[in-house]
Amino acid sequence: MKRDEPYGRYVALGDSQTEGLGDGDDTTGLRGWADRLAEHLAAANPRLQYANLAVRGRLAGQVRAEQLAPALALRPDFATVVAGVNDLMRPSFDVARVVGHLEAMFAALTDSGARVVTVTFPDITRVVPLARPLRERVHALNAGIRAAAARHDAVVVEIAEHAFAADPRFWTADRLHLSPLGHERFAAAAAHAVRLPAVDGTWADPLPALPAATGRQAARAELHWLAAHLGPWLGRRLRGRSSGDGREAKRPRLLAVRPPA
């Protein structure tokens, strides 16, 4: 699909990554890769309007059920759909079901006239070694996303293919959410994938190497992560709670995009 004019209405659908967790906070406000991508799009079209319907903790089926209809009502000509990580961490993960929800969103948005952008996910065991049992799930989900996107001419941002995604500096301490630098790189990767003229390929450049951690340092880091991050996450699951309970989209209406401060 080719366009001779810049995009005018961007709507983002998804979970915590698209909401912007890890880039700002709930007091000062979240920015995140979708907001940053909107800024790239606004550089090409200052009249761009942008809405972000993402809510943390949402499964792919919830994104479809709660966000797709409002997104279509906004008549976007550009949309991002990023979901599925929350699903693959559940014992009941079913890759066909998750990809089915994603494909339904790709199809509906594409049929409405929107350019759809999605993403593949990095091997999380390179960031969270204890998540090794999830490796095959990530590979299966990525394969399904690629196939579904191809059927609907959606753009796939191949984060899974780039080594920088395993650098801990691109992730927050919980290792599940991008850091501000990670959100910045992700936004640039998406902008590059849709060939925005002001974005080159330097987003994929690695950072200077970190000193190698000793075995003791690595073990201490894993124990800290278990206690500080995995434990509370498991506790919410056991209580049937989600980090997104009671939350609404941060930007449910199309609004003009302000330049970053």
Side-chain angles (χ1 to χ4, degrees), residues 142-227:
N142 285 340
I145 288 170
R146 292 185 185 104
R151 288 190 286 270
H152 302 283
D153 197 27
V155 175
V156 179
V157 185
E158 286 285 3
I159 298 297
E161 300 297 324
H162 293 279
F164 85 84
D167 190 315
R169 288 166 287 188
F170 293 109
W171 300 89
T172 60
D174 69 8
R175 306 183 191 175
L176 297 175
H177 297 99
L178 295 167
S179 67
L181 182 58
H183 281 283
E184 177 186 323
R185 289 287 186 106
F186 190 173
H192 189 239
V194 296
R195 303 185 180 185
L196 293 183
V199 181
D200 60 22
T202 56
W203 61 269
D205 292 346
L207 297 176
L210 287 168
T214 66
R216 179 174 296 181
Q217 289 172 330
R220 186 181 301 121
E222 293 307 301
L223 289 172
H224 174 76
W225 178 77
L226 283 169

Side-chain angles (χ1 to χ4, degrees), residues 2 24 48 61 75 95 98 116 118 127 137-138 143 149 152 173-174 187 196 203 206 210-211 217 220 227 248 252 258:
K2 296 181 179 179
L48 177 82
R75 298 183 297 109
V95 66
V98 174
V116 175
T118 190
V127 182
R137 291 185 174 190
V138 175
H152 302 283
D174 69 8
L196 293 183
W203 61 269
L210 287 168
Q217 289 172 330
R220 186 181 301 121
E248 298 180 352
R258 295 181 179 178

Side-chain angles (χ1 to χ4, degrees), residues 73-152:
L74 295 173
R75 298 183 297 109
D77 55 10
F78 187 93
T80 53
V81 179
V82 178
V85 168
N86 290 322
D87 296 83
L88 68 83
M89 293 191 293
R90 299 297 200 278
S92 59
F93 175 71
D94 181 329
V95 66
R97 182 173 66 242
V98 174
V99 172
H101 289 309
L102 294 172
E103 182 161 10
M105 291 186 276
F106 299 164
L109 289 161
T110 299
D111 289 347
S112 76
R115 185 54 155 160
V116 175
V117 178
T118 190
V119 63
T120 55
F121 300 105
D123 179 356
I124 60 176
T125 65
R126 296 160 68 190
V127 182
V128 186
L130 293 174
R132 193 171 302 277
L134 301 181
R135 173 179 288 169
E136 293 307 314
R137 291 185 174 190
V138 175
H139 293 333
L141 178 58
N142 285 340
I145 288 170
R146 292 185 185 104
R151 288 190 286 270
H152 302 283

